[in-house]
């Protein structure tokens, strides 16, 4: 009964390993995972597929011990969260300030269709089948590939289209997101 009311405040708040070691571990794991995810192709075309979710869950599980050894205090968890937030903010800030770095963070759009013809090597590079591309084009109201002047896969995996008759097609959610970003 006595253990029900006993609180070990030292175990809750005092780190069991060096704070500097936590920051180094968190930084190395964050930057390694960021690099791996940055190099993976935009396979799911702007959606979070089951394989993407599985990768995130497995990365989190694998990274947990690498980042923190076996931490037990709230302070250690807060330091790791702060380290991840720091790197995320720093990379976004560098991308904002340095256009060259922004190209590393967000790759430029990749041309998938030019003047009604698919560019097979680009589709292969992104692991997109002809059927998947045509499905995405149909979802945006494109009936015939010949009507597409240019189609790009954007950094976020979405497809943007420029029609031959100069009409631009885009996903409705993008228009809403862009309008809300202005406010």
């Amino acid at each position: 009964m006595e253990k029900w009311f006993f609180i070990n405040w030292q175990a809750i708040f005092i780190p069991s390993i060096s704070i500097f070691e936590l920051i180094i571990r968190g930084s190395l794991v964050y930057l390694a995972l960021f690099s791996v995810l940055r190099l993976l192709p935009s396979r799911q075309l702007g959606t979070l597929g089951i394989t993407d979710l599985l990768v995130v869950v497995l990365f989190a599980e694998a990274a947990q011990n690498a980042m923190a050894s076996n931490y037990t205090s709230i302070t250690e968890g807060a330091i790791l969260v702060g380290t991840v937030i720091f790197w995320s903010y720093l990379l976004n800030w560098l991308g904002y300030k340095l256009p060259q770095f922004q190209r590393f963070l967000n790759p430029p759009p990749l041309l998938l269709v030019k003047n009604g013809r698919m560019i097979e090597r680009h589709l292969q590079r992104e692991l997109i089948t002809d059927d998947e591309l045509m499905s995405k084009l149909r979802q945006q109201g494109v009936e015939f590939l010949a009507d597409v002047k240019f189609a790009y896969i954007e950094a976020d995996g979405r497809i943007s289209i420029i029609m031959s008759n100069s009409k631009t097609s885009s996903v409705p959610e993008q228009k809403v997101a862009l309008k809300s970003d202005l406010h």
Side-chain angles (χ1 to χ4, degrees), residues 126-137:
E126 294 298 319
L127 304 175
I128 301 170
T129 66
D130 295 354
D131 290 338
E132 287 173 321
L133 177 61
M134 288 306 300
S135 170
K136 289 298 178 185
L137 294 178

Side-chain angles (χ1 to χ4, degrees), residues 54 76 87:
L54 183 60
E76 290 165 321
W87 281 108

Side-chain angles (χ1 to χ4, degrees), residues 121-157:
R121 74 177 187 279
H122 291 177
L123 292 171
Q124 289 172 358
R125 179 174 135 190
E126 294 298 319
L127 304 175
I128 301 170
T129 66
D130 295 354
D131 290 338
E132 287 173 321
L133 177 61
M134 288 306 300
S135 170
K136 289 298 178 185
L137 294 178
R138 284 190 304 276
Q139 289 173 14
Q140 294 190 43
V142 175
E143 188 174 0
F144 302 106
L145 187 61
D147 294 338
V148 177
K149 184 174 183 179
F150 300 110
Y152 296 90
I153 186 168
E154 302 294 339
D156 65 358

